[in-house]
Amino acid sequence: MVITPAQLVDEPLILDETLAEGVIEYAPDIRQVGPLKLKGQAELIVEHRGPKEFVDDIRLRAAFSGEFEQLCARCLEPVRQPLAGEFDLIFRPGGVDDEPGERAITEDETEIGYYEESGLLLEDAVREQVLLTLPARTLCQEDCKGLCPHCGANRNLTSCECVEKPVDPRLAVLAGIAVAIKA
């Protein structure tokens, strides 16, 4: 769904969307399972920058909820998790803040996104917020045994017959460093 400033001139756009599974591509190891519910609104904020200079910002406020599958960081099995979040974002037309040369930006400016001339694609904003809300690393269980580094077997499901190779004595020193760092 594309949101344009022209749609928002008279009144805010009320959002009550259900995004089907597969509409948004998140990442290779993240998959939406079932519908993603989104409720909120988009409104126009006209920023006055001078006597005859106006910038049409779009403020997007919404809440979302859905179910996702993320791969376990150790065994690569899919892990289902419910996800819900809220966001309040400001988007400005692309190129409106362009100035020649280098300049420092304020902390407030780091919170601003930009939309193309054709408008703001709602799915892009939702995708970004979902990815920011999901944990960076997921485990299927706290004591997940992971995959065997030799045969690739899932150690949670089967015990493989692989023999641990002896550690190269030149690398044994590194094991001591890892232990010292954890302490």
Side-chain angles (χ1 to χ4, degrees):
M1 166 187 233
V2 177
I3 301 171
T4 65
Q7 292 173 286
L8 310 173
V9 170
D10 295 327
E11 60 187 20
L13 175 66
I14 303 302
L15 302 169
D16 189 1
E17 302 290 320
T18 301
L19 302 172
E21 183 178 328
V23 169
I24 300 174
E25 189 174 319
Y26 296 95
D29 62 336
I30 299 169
R31 186 172 76 89
Q32 180 181 321
V33 181
L36 178 69
K37 305 246 187 241
L38 178 77
K39 289 184 184 250
Q41 73 175 20
E43 61 187 308
L44 181 65
I45 299 174
V46 179
E47 183 181 342
H48 301 274
R49 290 195 170 181
K52 294 183 181 180
E53 187 180 356
F54 303 97
V55 176
D56 291 337
D57 291 345
I58 296 174
R59 182 176 188 186
L60 182 61
R61 291 184 289 181
F64 63 89
S65 64
E67 186 123 351
F68 289 82
E69 237 177 32
Q70 197 170 6
L71 297 183
C72 174
R74 292 184 188 157
C75 70
L76 303 178
E77 288 295 316
V79 180
R80 278 191 150 195
Q81 53 193 54
L83 188 70
E86 295 180 355
F87 57 89
D88 186 351
L89 305 169
I90 302 287
F91 293 91
R92 183 168 289 157
V96 77
D97 290 334
D98 290 350
E99 292 180 12
E102 288 186 28
R103 72 176 185 93
I105 61 172
T106 65
E107 188 174 331
D108 290 340
E109 288 175 314
T110 64
E111 300 291 321
I112 296 173
Y114 293 90
Y115 65 89
E116 300 296 320
E117 191 174 319
S118 58
L120 170 64
L121 189 60
L122 177 64
E123 289 82 355
D124 285 349
V126 171
R127 176 185 184 275
E128 179 181 81
Q129 294 306 306
V130 165
L131 291 174
L132 288 170
T133 305
L134 281 167
R137 185 174 170 204
T138 301
L139 295 177
C140 61
Q141 54 195 19
E142 240 179 86
D143 60 343
C144 176
K145 297 173 185 168
L147 300 175
C148 172
H150 304 288
C151 69
N154 184 338
R155 291 180 170 168
N156 297 314
L157 304 175
T158 183
S159 57
C160 62
E161 302 300 321
C162 296
V163 178
E164 291 291 326
K165 293 182 182 177
V167 175
D168 183 333
R170 295 171 292 182
L171 299 176
V173 175
L174 296 177
I177 293 174
V179 171
I181 291 173
K182 288 181 182 177

